[in-house]
Amino acid sequence: MRAPGTRSSWVKDLAMGARFAFAGGREGWTRTLLTGMGVGLGVALLLVTTAVPSALAARDQRGAARETITSRTAEQPGRDTLLIARGNMSYHSDDIEGRLVQPEGPDAPLPPGLKKYPGPGELAVSPALDRLMKTDEGKLLRERLDGKIVSLIGDAGLVGPGDLYYYAGTDRLAAQADGSYVERITTFENTVEAPPLDPVLALLVVLVFVALLTPVAVFIAAAVRFGGDRRDRRLAALRLVGADGRTVRRIAAGEALAGALIGLVLGTGFFLIARQLAPNLSLQGRSVFPADLDPRPALAALVAVSVPAAAVAVTLFALRGVVIEPLGVVRTATPRRRRIWWRLLLPLAGLGLLAPMMGRGNTHGRFNQWQVSGGVVLLLVGITALLPWLLERVVGRLGGAGGVSWQLAVRRLQLTSGTAARLVNGIAVAVAGAIALQMLFAGVEGDYTRDTGQDPARASMSILTRSGTEDHVDALGKAVAGTKGILKAVPLTSVPASRTPKAQGGSIDLTVGTCEALREVGQLPSCKDGDAFVLTGAPGEPDGRTGTAGPGDKLFTGNLYDREGPEPSVWTVPADARTAQALKDPNGRLRTGLLVTPAAAPKNLSGRGMAQVYVQLDPKVPDALELARTAAYKADPLATAMTLQSSRTTTEFGSIRTGLFIGATLVLVLIGASLLVSQLEQLRERKKLLSALVAFGTKRSTLSLSVLWQTALPIALGLALATAIGLSLGAVLMRMTNVPVRIDWSSVAMMAGSGAGVALVVTLLSLPPLLRLMRPDGLRTE
């Protein structure tokens, strides 16, 4: 007889358990397949998670390869030069990026994804943009980008399959190639690295991964315990033929190991299917190519090893309170009440890890990622330890009052409270993590949301362009003003002036516009064409670049900064110029310098100036914003149409929040799928019992309602516990980031309601199989 616990005995017993899993007939295959399905769903999500870093890196690399931030430039046209300008725009809720291109020689550099440049009036677009422009939804966009589509941009030139990108050919860039709006480049290159995230944002990234992956681990741990009652009866039969207690436990671990291995295979298959479907999925404007979802080998290997090992460990841990005898199974945990003391150690240990980091915020260096991860995991896993104890105490106090369905549900929960808790653990952990993250995001959002100073009530959008000439700006304003849905369009031109020919002593802002336009930036006592005003009440730039002038002063305008080109013109401030109090423009800027009407303005307004057209939309006209953007693009493709907003969130914070939304969506799908599989497995285990109850006259509606109660009661307790843990964790995290603790109860209710909604949907989906299982022929035994 071999010595118990030797390596060979472990191998043989695990192999025997695997054979039972595959050779147990239809019953065994069904049980193993259910286990594999539950584990496989978790494995698929784990593989997707391990592939996220490589997917993001691939998107960033392709995005950098088509940029020109650090590209080599040229002063004069040549065989290898390209004139390029940005043509980014927005369309409804989508951001569309584009470039206007004009090659100046046969060797002009091609960006990734293009085989040749589109000619004047032609477009090269991404497949996603091509599809959008061909739909009814893209009608206004077709009017804006009215060139002929001659080619599609290849994958190498796109950050993702849903990327909305275009190249528009033109022959009008040479006159504006000054390096500000239009660049002359010889390469496509961007070697500028993004700055590292600050400590709080880095903490958010860690928390998102931990809070989303912990429920996955809980699901996998629950999945490997499918079919526990039938398995225990088989183990009792093994004791009857001579196997000892250690042997049957190792055999049980072998069965779980087989299910986990099947789960690895199925999970890999699910992942490969999801990988091929990835181009069709776009969340918050983000999408990836199938090749981007490439798990890192080390992380994939960790998943492949940890999942089977966890299956064995969970099974052995679950059998610690089970006495398997030759004539049956005795669960020692049933008569002995669960103890609370050791269950409290997990959340207390988690708080102990997080407490030393309270009050650090962004000013005391980075948070220890391992310490944060360990503390959060212990707190969340503490739910899985506390919920069985809480459920046992609550259902143990419930008496026999109530209807038949309620009594059936309570009795079932009293007998198998541990099984019911396992079904709810995943939802509870996910909800607790979501509540904590929601609190933290809401708490720190103010630190990453800035007040722009813009006033959307005065202007819905601002069209920014080069000042050029006054005629150009007026034509842009008239083109927009004549568009349907525009209440008014106010053009303002701002050019620099100086007391010296080359602006050695600083510059003076010269704002030119009609009286109506000037009233947007100054409090004018009275105004007619030919007037000029000296602005007061606005501080100058701290470096002295701006100043003011008085009536009769001589100023230079025009070419103030370029050594080559025409000499600056001399302009005299009108002698009757009056003072005017400066007002903030719709962009929130308080201007300095002079306000001048067209009749009094210098004749030469060229130079490094800017022009803006403030546009007020008619809210009664649908798509007025898109019509204005289209009019602006047609009048000046280099103009930037910006929607005014009173506040803006930083890109980094918005990206992390988007990642949380994507991850939470995937976890919710996993919650529903895993819970449905668990529910079906539980119903299959009780097939004969349900059939017997129906055969003795129990109404089907009573049994269906009983199943609903059996789900609702653990869910309610689980969500209550998850809310308490989530609020506690959220408060600790907010203290760590040094923000006041505030609770948004509507968000908490939404998180808890999402978990309850998933459970309700799963219960409704399980009712049709339940009705089929309640047939009298379910009592047949072969």
Side-chain angles (χ1 to χ4, degrees), residues 45-61 205 209 213 288 291-296 299:
L45 189 53
L46 286 177
L47 291 176
V48 170
T49 304
T50 60
V52 167
S54 63
L56 295 179
R59 285 174 56 92
D60 291 341
Q61 289 173 2
V205 173
F209 275 94
L213 290 183
V288 295
D292 294 342
L293 288 174
D294 185 17
R296 295 184 177 180
L299 296 178

Side-chain angles (χ1 to χ4, degrees), residues 184-241:
R184 177 177 283 116
I185 64 171
T186 59
T187 60
F188 280 87
E189 187 178 3
N190 177 22
T191 58
V192 177
E193 295 185 1
L197 298 177
D198 64 48
V200 171
L201 290 180
L203 173 67
L204 287 175
V205 173
V206 173
L207 292 175
V208 166
F209 275 94
V210 171
L212 294 179
L213 290 183
T214 303
V216 178
V218 173
F219 292 146
I220 293 176
V224 298
R225 299 181 66 179
F226 285 171
D229 294 339
R230 293 178 182 267
R231 178 204 61 198
D232 293 345
R233 289 195 291 271
R234 291 192 308 277
L235 297 180
L238 290 175
R239 288 298 312 276
L240 188 62
V241 297

Side-chain angles (χ1 to χ4, degrees), residues 106-121:
D107 299 327
L110 277 171
L114 276 191
K115 295 182 179 179
K116 66 175 183 177
Y117 280 110

Side-chain angles (χ1 to χ4, degrees), residues 598-613:
K603 302 305 178 183
N604 179 16
L605 287 180
S606 61
R608 294 187 179 181
M610 301 297 294
Q612 283 183 312
V613 180

Side-chain angles (χ1 to χ4, degrees), residues 298-364:
L299 296 178
L302 179 62
V303 172
V305 173
S306 60
V307 170
V312 173
V314 168
T315 302
L316 294 177
F317 182 79
L319 291 175
R320 74 194 187 286
V322 179
V323 178
I324 302 174
E325 298 294 346
L327 297 180
V329 177
V330 179
R331 294 187 176 273
T332 60
T334 301
R336 188 174 62 189
R337 301 181 65 172
R338 290 181 169 89
R339 299 178 181 178
I340 184 63
W341 66 268
W342 69 267
R343 301 174 188 274
L344 291 174
L345 292 180
L346 292 176
L348 290 177
L351 290 174
L353 288 175
L354 298 178
M357 292 179 284
M358 289 188 182
R360 296 187 64 175
N362 269 326
T363 59
H364 294 81

Side-chain angles (χ1 to χ4, degrees), residues 9 22 65 79 126 180 352 490 583 586 595 601 606 653 677 698 743 764 768:
S9 64
F22 294 111
R79 289 180 55 85
S126 66
S180 55
V490 179
L583 297 177
L595 303 182
S606 61
F653 182 82
V677 173
T698 306
I743 300 176
L764 294 177

